[in-house]
């Protein structure tokens, strides 16, 4: 304590006066060593208390800063903003566990944000891929290539791409329309083939059957009629 330190200092001061007169008086040297050691120990204890007091003040300052930043953590958009708030605490205690915990909050939020953005981009890529397939089938359809359009529409439908704009419903309606058109076209070609065969106009009959098979290569009636020519 300060009292002990003052007492030891006083002791040494008095001994110094004695030694100025009598360099070695009875056990004065022994007493001098005792007072010197006591003074050194007293100073060490005072220094230790000072260090502990400063440590507690520093710890409290760190806790206060972290507490303030913790209440605001949801308002920070970036790690830099959090670190700016924590700057004083980071300077005093850069490896504090609570600082790392707050940083982890920002890291997790950033990860979730990036993951959500990645999923959104992946979803949109699939949507775009599906639309591209639909457009290819639609273009073929408009060119009048009905059989090929059927294949392309069916391929698009079966790919199971996300379809927020309901292109699959359009594709199904177009398929129904194409199949109806094909039925009419094939029947017309078969009728011509049959009539031309009856009239012994075999070339015209063959061409009509060929046209029907171009629309439906597996049509049994067209294959049979052509085989009879």
């Amino acid at each position: 304590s300060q009292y002990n330190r003052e007492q030891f200092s006083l002791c040494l001061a008095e001994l110094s006066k004695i030694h100025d007169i009598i360099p070695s008086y009875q056990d004065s040297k022994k007493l001098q060593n005792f007072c010197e050691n006591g003074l050194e120990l007293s100073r060490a204890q005072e220094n230790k208390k000072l260090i502990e007091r400063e440590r507690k003040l520093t710890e409290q300052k760190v806790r206060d800063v972290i507490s303030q930043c913790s209440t605001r953590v949801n308002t920070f958009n970036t790690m830099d903003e959090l670190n700016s708030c924590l700057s004083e605490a980071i300077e005093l205690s850069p490896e504090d566990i609570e600082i790392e915990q707050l940083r982890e909050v920002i890291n997790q939020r950033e990860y979730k944000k990036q993951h959500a953005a990645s999923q959104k981009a992946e979803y949109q890529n699939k949507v775009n891929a599906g639309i591209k397939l639909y457009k290819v089938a639609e273009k073929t359809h408009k060119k009048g290539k009905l059989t090929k359009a059927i294949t392309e529409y069916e391929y698009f439908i079966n790919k199971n791409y996300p379809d927020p704009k309901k292109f699959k419903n359009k594709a199904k309606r177009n398929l129904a329309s194409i199949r109806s058109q094909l039925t009419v076209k094939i029947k017309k070609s078969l009728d011509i083939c049959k009539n031309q065969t009856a009239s012994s106009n075999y070339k015209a009959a063959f061409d009509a059957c060929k046209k029907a098979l171009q629309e439906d290569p597996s049509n049994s009636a067209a294959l049979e009629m052509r085989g009879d020519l």
Side-chain angles (χ1 to χ4, degrees), residues 127-144:
V127 169
N128 292 341
I131 292 174
K132 183 177 181 180
L133 287 180
Y134 174 81
K135 294 298 184 182
V136 168
E138 186 179 52
K139 185 176 181 180
T140 301
H141 183 186
K142 289 178 179 179
K143 288 181 177 179

Side-chain angles (χ1 to χ4, degrees), residues 186-202 204-206 208-209 221-222 225-226 229:
I186 290 171
K187 184 178 184 305
K188 182 178 180 180
S189 294
L190 290 177
D191 287 344
I192 292 173
C193 180
K194 183 177 180 180
N195 292 334
Q196 293 298 326
T197 299
S199 301
S200 299
N201 191 354
Y202 298 118
F206 183 86
C209 284
M225 286 188 207
R226 189 181 66 175
L229 293 174

Side-chain angles (χ1 to χ4, degrees), residues 58-100:
T58 298
E59 177 66 17
Q60 187 58 50
K61 183 62 178 178
V62 169
R63 300 278 74 80
D64 289 345
V65 171
I66 290 175
S67 176
Q68 292 172 12
C69 295
S70 180
T71 62
R72 297 172 52 202
V73 69
N74 291 329
T75 68
F76 300 136
N77 296 315
T78 66
M79 187 66 75
D80 286 343
E81 290 180 6
L82 173 63
N83 287 336
S84 178
C85 179
L86 290 169
S87 59
E88 191 172 1
I90 293 171
E91 183 178 353
L92 295 172
S93 182
E95 296 182 2
D96 190 282
I97 184 64
E98 292 187 28
I99 291 177
E100 294 305 317

Side-chain angles (χ1 to χ4, degrees), residues 102-177:
L102 286 179
R103 284 171 171 167
E104 185 60 21
V105 171
I106 301 297
N107 282 334
Q108 285 298 318
R109 186 192 303 157
E110 186 63 24
Y111 169 77
K112 289 179 181 178
K113 186 188 298 182
Q114 291 177 356
H115 183 64
S118 176
Q119 285 189 316
K120 183 178 180 181
E122 183 179 355
Y123 172 82
Q124 191 58 50
N125 286 339
K126 290 180 179 179
V127 169
N128 292 341
I131 292 174
K132 183 177 181 180
L133 287 180
Y134 174 81
K135 294 298 184 182
V136 168
E138 186 179 52
K139 185 176 181 180
T140 301
H141 183 186
K142 289 178 179 179
K143 288 181 177 179
K145 299 178 181 180
L146 303 184
T147 301
K148 186 178 180 182
I150 287 176
T151 300
E152 290 174 350
Y153 278 131
E154 288 178 338
Y155 180 74
F156 160 65
I157 293 170
N158 292 332
K159 287 297 287 185
N160 291 321
Y161 283 119
D163 184 32
K165 295 186 178 180
K166 308 300 181 184
F167 281 110
K168 288 183 181 179
N169 290 340
K170 293 181 181 179
K172 289 175 182 178
R173 289 195 296 270
N174 289 345
L175 277 175
S177 174

